[in-house]
Structures are given as structure tokens and as C-alpha cells.
Amino acid sequence: MMNWVLAATLICGASVLNSCKEAKTKEDNPVKQVVSSELIRTSQSWDGVELPDYLVGRPELVAVKYVFPAGQKLGWHHHPVMNYGILVQGELTIIGQDGKEKVVHEGEPVVEMVNTIHHGENRGKKDVILYMFYLSQKDLPLAVQHPEIPLE
């Protein structure tokens, strides 16, 4: 009987040691949790103008990845629909036709102007990568170009 108790104690002891070892491993490598960080909540574009009401009808959501090479300028344009995005690399300068500028830095959100003419420039030394999300409708353009306005 004593041998059985001794064997059971050794087995339980080994089991406890293994559990402690597993706990230590879990402590060293804790389970990672999902973390959410609200980047922006606004009803205004970057220039402080109130966004328009939603369009009436069925929405079409569009996501676009833009890559602006260093030194590149995007021509004058306007957006007939609301859009916002996250700049994931580089630095983008947005210039309104009135001369107002907004510099968007890596990791920052931006809410674009709606129905206001503007353009963007990558004045930096590395490519800009920008993800934009449009709240549109079928057959609406995401942007309307204005080639009649020269870039300086």
C-alpha cells in the first residue's frame, strides 16, 4: 500500500511541477488580446467644414490603396462623395484651392474635403501609402479631375 501512495505522490508531484512549468511558460508568453484605438470621430473634413448628409439610396463602399512616389503631385480635383483614410507610410500635404494646407503624417487619419477643389503632394523622400474609404453610390466618380487648373 505504501508503494502505491508513494507512486501516486510522485506522479502528482510531477504533474504539479509540469503545471507550474506550463504556467511559467504562459506567464512568459501571455495570450495577446485584441486592442482597438479610435483614430478619429468627426463630422468635419480636415479643413473644418461640416460634411454633407449621406446620399439617398443604396450605398457603395469603396476602399482604395494609393501609392504616391516621393516628389509626386496629384492634380487638382474634388470628391463628390465623403471619404476618409489612414496614411500608413510617409507624409502627404493636401492643399486647398484657397491655399490652406494640411500635412498628414504616418499613422494619422484624414477626412477629405467634399465638393471642394484641392490637390495632394508628396514632399518627402519616401513613397506615401494611403488607404482611403469612400461612401459612394453606383456610377458616381470617386474624384473629378480639374486639369484646367495648373499645378505650380
Side-chain angles (χ1 to χ4, degrees), residues 46 66 68 73-81 83 92-98 112-121 130 132 134 141-151:
W46 66 262
Y66 292 98
F68 295 86
K73 292 182 180 183
L74 185 63
W76 292 100
H77 63 280
H78 78 272
H79 303 283
V81 297
N83 65 96
L92 180 66
T93 303
I94 306 169
I95 302 105
Q97 200 172 19
D98 61 0
E112 277 276 38
M113 305 164 127
V114 180
N115 291 319
T116 301
I117 297 173
H118 62 283
H119 81 275
E121 298 180 3
L130 176 66
M132 293 300 292
Y134 296 83
L142 302 180
V144 176
Q145 300 301 315
H146 293 278
E148 71 279 6
I149 305 171
L151 284 174

Side-chain angles (χ1 to χ4, degrees), residues 25-152:
T25 301
K26 286 180 184 175
E27 190 177 286
D28 291 342
N29 298 315
V31 175
K32 295 190 179 198
Q33 300 294 317
V34 173
V35 176
S36 67
S37 301
E38 187 170 287
L39 299 177
I40 192 168
R41 181 183 294 249
T42 185
S43 58
Q44 299 178 342
S45 57
W46 66 262
D47 61 341
V49 174
E50 288 292 320
L51 294 170
D53 289 338
Y54 282 110
L55 300 170
V56 175
R58 182 171 305 282
E60 183 175 70
L61 306 178
V62 183
V64 179
K65 176 185 178 182
Y66 292 98
V67 178
F68 295 86
Q72 182 69 36
K73 292 182 180 183
L74 185 63
W76 292 100
H77 63 280
H78 78 272
H79 303 283
V81 297
M82 289 183 279
N83 65 96
Y84 62 99
I86 302 291
L87 191 109
V88 296
Q89 178 180 294
E91 187 174 279
L92 180 66
T93 303
I94 306 169
I95 302 105
Q97 200 172 19
D98 61 0
K100 194 180 227 182
E101 291 188 8
K102 166 75 174 171
V103 178
V104 185
H105 303 277
E106 197 166 293
E108 290 182 342
V110 62
V111 178
E112 277 276 38
M113 305 164 127
V114 180
N115 291 319
T116 301
I117 297 173
H118 62 283
H119 81 275
E121 298 180 3
N122 180 352
R123 297 175 179 168
K125 295 194 184 318
K126 66 179 175 178
D127 290 353
V128 162
I129 298 175
L130 176 66
Y131 290 98
M132 293 300 292
F133 306 95
Y134 296 83
L135 289 71
S136 188
Q137 286 184 321
K138 187 176 172 137
D139 300 325
L140 275 180
L142 302 180
V144 176
Q145 300 301 315
H146 293 278
E148 71 279 6
I149 305 171
L151 284 174
E152 296 177 15

